[in-house]
Amino acid sequence: MATTDTTACILCSRNCGLSVEIDDHRFTKIKGDKAHPFSQGYICQKAARLEHYQNHDDRLTSPMQRQPDGSFKAVSWDDALDDIAQRLIRIRDQHGGDAFAFAGGGGQGNPLGGAYSQQIRSFMKSRYGYNSLGQEKTGDFWLNGRLFGNQQCHTTEDVEHADYVLFIGTNPFQAHGIPNARDTLKHIKKDPERTMVVVDPRLTETAKMADIHLQLRPGGDAWLMSAMLAIIVRDNLHDREFLAQHCEGFEQVEAVLRSIPIADYAAQADVPLATLEQVAHGYATAKRACLRIDLGIQQTLNTTLNGYLEKLLYLITGNFGVPGGNNLHTFFLPVIGDSDERNPKYKRTAHHGMFPIAGIYPPNILPDEILHPGEDRIRAVFVDSANPVMTWTNTAAYEKAFSSLELLVVVDVAMTETARLAHYVLPAASQFEKWEATGFNLEFPDNGFHLRHPLFPPREGTLPEPEIYTRLLEKLGAIPTRFPTLERLAKLEPSGTAYLGFLSAFAATLASHKQWMPYAASILYRTLGKALPDNAAATIPLLPLAIIYAQKHYKAVKRAGHKGNRLTLGANLFKAILAGRSGITLSQHRFEDLWGFIAHKDGRIHLAIPEMIEELRNLTPPNTTEHYPFILMAGERRSYNANQIYRDPAWRKVDPHGAMRMHPDDANALSLSHGERARCRSEHGEIEVVIEVDDSVRTGMVTLPHGYGNRFKGSAPVGPELNRLTGSAHCDPLSRTPYHKHVPVMIEALTDTAAASA
């Protein structure tokens, strides 16, 4: 019998609310949830096909143990966890905690599991945590630490209220990233009082809606933004009042900007100087100007410098901390940490000597840290909610490194490409079969959170991550299987209270058993969690987070309509989260509150970052080679590609091959036709592609989408395996962020023999 319920999308950071019709463990209809406080009924075509995630033939229903011949055998949970526990203890005791690394954990739309999975790293006494943010956003986090005083001071943008919107290296029409992206873009386009500017090497769907499109040379972003800043300073368009009131170090920045040869930099970016001046003036003089960027400048040449220049654009023009500008926001979930490398407690890795940023190490160094010949190499890895072999740089290096490990455990819903290399694969319940959350709440001034209740029962043989990791901790002897006193108090806790009695006893228990402190999430899960309604035990780590958030942002939480005093507000917030089937508004800040988010002791923004000023002074064009005459922009967002949780290729209505887009002039020069197969080769590897002749790209550049290359049901790869082309060392020297948007390649037609073989 069909029923209607609510949930949220798990495909991108917007996490739009969904109204779903379900029948017999399947989605039969998916549309936007009008009751969701932020997306308000908005949905894109990708979310409408989530049935392809929930039910497909790669789903797992039993722990799997790899056999000596490479095949897999189903085993019991007890047998799998017993053996894993014994191996972990042996590796830790023989080689120390840094022989272990955790990869992934708390993936997109799956953050609650992260509160439990990271306890294993604590047990192993390991400092190594790798995840996808480490190959996308850590340059940005590092800059935030220097500018604002803490790497958790993260910025957002108020696109929907801006008069002048500048998009650099992003295509919101496909990538989203802004509220109700396509509706917002249409509103801007239709309003004659608003201006949209897009900076992108491709004539994207967003660029086609723009008033101005600067189709720069791939990798030319640093030159373009430097020239814009130099124009703004040259023409005295910077906001002196804002700089004097809120910033330090502008004089050093101004000196280097005034030395920039503007015309030469515009030529290096390959954009018309007059148009660049028009954009610089329009942005600097607009009443409300906003800047939105994404991976287009975060995964290309000069990654960290690009982020610095982007931030300078809205800071020196005063488009910060105001409606319609760029702003800081609060965090409810601790998605990232703060780990400034100048603090000696943050040790560097054994092989590369790399430091963590926001508590994260960069994924493209992990294979070397595993294959490192020293005694201090990584020997065991847990992979959770991630598929590094496909999605992280250098597939061949990951295959070699993971195959060499003494222990590789993968926790996932499917038999992924990474899982096929594992010693054990532990099947998790899907994101719609358990309590979960959409944790990328990055809004200001209003911020929200959506706790998702289960829509379906877990498949037989699967477990949610909180149960997997808590059982493993028990097998490891980290915690006992029972906490009689706490369990009794949890049952006695009257409904409607603030849990004060239980939390007092819980704190006393941890104080007298300090060895249990790292495992607080699982202890709460086994005790107070069991007392929650609707089998919501997994959500219990949100209670202390709600208490902390309510204490830190007391007035803003009250403005959002939550009741209580200093002792009870946090518990009431948690209960509202638990009851809010369409998500809730956590807090309502005022713009003047933002200045309290800055973490520097002087409360000011420190503009002069020596490493960035030095890099800006020494900005040089990239070397080119005739052997690799094309620049591949790897990882393009399209209508029917998403993250790797979509494994069944049947979900795609169009672009089944993940075709390579190539300009007609380049296709003609190579005698390639639309739909023809070709070979794409970099210095790191090669793949076969299908050509799509498309004049939206510049000559000399080609694009391929991410989200392909899966071996569904053990088949040959479906679409391009992008990371067979990317190299570990082709990255930003500071953050180690890979240059996925600037991969030198050569392309050639397949011979008749090679094509027939393919």
Side-chain angles (χ1 to χ4, degrees), residues 381-507:
V381 174
F382 258 61
V383 176
D384 182 304
S385 308
N387 189 8
V389 165
M390 293 302 300
T391 62
W392 292 357
T393 303
N394 200 334
T395 291
Y398 265 100
E399 290 172 333
K400 181 179 179 181
F402 279 178
S403 297
S404 75
L405 288 166
E406 296 177 26
L407 178 64
L408 175 63
V409 178
V410 170
V411 179
D412 212 314
V413 301
M415 183 59 81
T416 66
E417 290 66 32
T418 302
R420 294 179 188 279
L421 300 176
H423 297 93
Y424 284 96
V425 187
L426 304 180
S430 86
Q431 293 194 36
F432 299 110
E433 297 167 354
K434 61 195 175 193
W435 285 91
E436 253 305 342
T438 52
F440 287 84
N441 49 306
L442 312 177
E443 304 296 332
F444 184 86
D446 295 357
N447 210 347
F449 186 73
H450 191 175
L451 180 66
R452 307 193 313 271
H453 59 285
L455 299 178
F456 312 104
R459 288 197 178 192
E460 185 176 356
T462 69
L463 293 173
E465 290 89 344
E467 183 65 24
I468 293 173
Y469 289 108
T470 300
R471 287 192 190 186
L472 181 54
L473 287 174
E474 292 165 350
K475 298 284 189 183
L476 290 164
I479 58 173
T481 57
R482 294 293 306 276
F483 299 87
T485 300
L486 291 178
E487 291 173 39
R488 179 175 55 82
L489 288 172
K491 291 178 181 178
L492 294 174
E493 189 75 41
S495 61
T497 69
Y499 308 106
L500 296 179
F502 176 88
L503 292 176
S504 177
F506 180 69

Side-chain angles (χ1 to χ4, degrees), residues 20-33:
V20 297
E21 188 176 286
I22 56 179
D23 189 11
D24 191 26
H25 307 296
R26 293 185 173 274
F27 290 108
T28 56
K29 185 180 293 185
I30 300 175
K31 59 184 181 179
D33 179 8

Side-chain angles (χ1 to χ4, degrees), residues 145-160:
R146 297 300 179 91
L147 288 167
F148 306 117
N150 189 294
Q151 291 167 0
Q152 294 171 307
C153 293
H154 188 259
T155 58
T156 186
E157 55 283 320
D158 190 9
V159 172
E160 56 269 45

Side-chain angles (χ1 to χ4, degrees), residues 130-132 134-136 298-299 362-368 387-402 418 634 682 684 721-732 735-741 743:
Y130 295 83
N131 64 40
S132 292
Q135 68 170 6
E136 297 176 350
Q298 291 175 326
Q299 286 192 327
N364 59 331
I365 71 168
L366 180 54
D368 287 343
N387 189 8
V389 165
M390 293 302 300
T391 62
W392 292 357
T393 303
N394 200 334
T395 291
Y398 265 100
E399 290 172 333
K400 181 179 179 181
F402 279 178
T418 302
S682 73
H684 308 290
E721 296 178 279
L722 284 183
N723 283 306
R724 295 205 180 275
L725 300 173
T726 58
S728 304
H730 188 55
C731 63
D732 186 81
S735 65
R736 303 295 178 116
T737 307
Y739 294 150
H740 282 177
K741 309 303 182 189
V743 181

